């Protein structure tokens, strides 16, 4: 009789051990599927050095597959609250270079200091604010960014970004 009880105990402990290993493997597999892929994590941030940009020059970078512009404004340019910011006394503006009307890519007209959308004639000033009477009903989006010295890190919400978008 005692031999049957020992066999039952052994079978019960074996079943419990197999169930515990199976549960652990299931939890590990579930966690692996929830974590973002390495290429997704690395694609979320783009760091650009803006120290080489000349006054009045616009540079376009790619962030998450979308064009992002950085414009270093000329000295004496008007600072647009909620759009422009200063780094080391220089005035900059950033934005997604995508028209808020239908998603076309506006081009920057340096001599007019404005963005012009070729699709439907949308116009934005040099800070990305839409002009009244043109199709876009709102300014170009400001991508999340953080300032690290003379570098901008797109994809990271910094203090200046929060101030510009009233998230502070």
């Amino acid at each position: 009789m005692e031999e049957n009880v020992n066999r039952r105990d052994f079978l019960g402990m074996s079943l419990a051990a197999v169930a515990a290993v199976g549960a652990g493997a299931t939890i590990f597999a579930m966690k692996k599927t929830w974590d973002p892929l390495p290429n997704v994590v690395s694609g979320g941030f783009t760091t650009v050095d803006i120290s080489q940009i000349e006054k009045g020059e616009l540079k376009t970078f790619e962030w998450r597959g979308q064009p992002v512009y950085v414009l270093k404004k000329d000295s004496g340019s008007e600072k647009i609250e909620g759009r422009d910011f200063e780094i080391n006394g220089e005035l900059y503006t950033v934005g997604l270079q995508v028209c808020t009307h239908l998603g076309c890519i506006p081009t920057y007209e340096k001599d007019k200091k404005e963005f012009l959308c070729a699709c439907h004639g949308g116009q934005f000033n040099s800070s990305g604010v839409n002009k009244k009477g043109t199709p876009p009903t709102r300014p170009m989006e400001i991508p999340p960014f953080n300032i690290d010295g003379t570098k901008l890190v797109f994809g990271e919400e910094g203090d200046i970004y929060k101030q510009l978008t009233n998230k502070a």
Side-chain angles (χ1 to χ4, degrees), residues 63-116:
W63 172 70
R64 295 184 180 174
Q66 295 181 315
V68 175
Y69 69 88
V70 177
L71 174 65
K72 185 175 185 178
K73 291 191 158 189
D74 292 324
S75 54
S77 296
E78 179 186 359
K79 181 179 180 179
I80 308 292
E81 290 299 322
R83 299 297 300 188
D84 300 338
F85 58 95
E86 291 185 34
I87 299 176
N88 299 330
E90 301 290 341
L91 197 58
Y92 291 90
T93 187
V94 299
L96 284 178
Q97 197 170 343
V98 177
C99 182
T100 54
H101 177 231
L102 290 178
C104 297
I105 309 288
T107 56
Y108 183 67
E109 304 286 332
K110 187 175 182 178
D111 52 334
K112 295 179 181 176
K113 296 182 180 180
E114 67 181 18
F115 289 93
L116 177 64

Side-chain angles (χ1 to χ4, degrees), residues 122-147:
Q123 294 177 350
F124 302 88
N125 67 13
S126 62
S127 295
V129 177
N130 58 312
K131 290 189 174 182
K132 291 182 180 178
T134 62
T137 57
R138 58 187 168 91
M140 289 192 234
E141 301 286 330
I142 299 174
F145 68 95
N146 191 17
I147 300 170

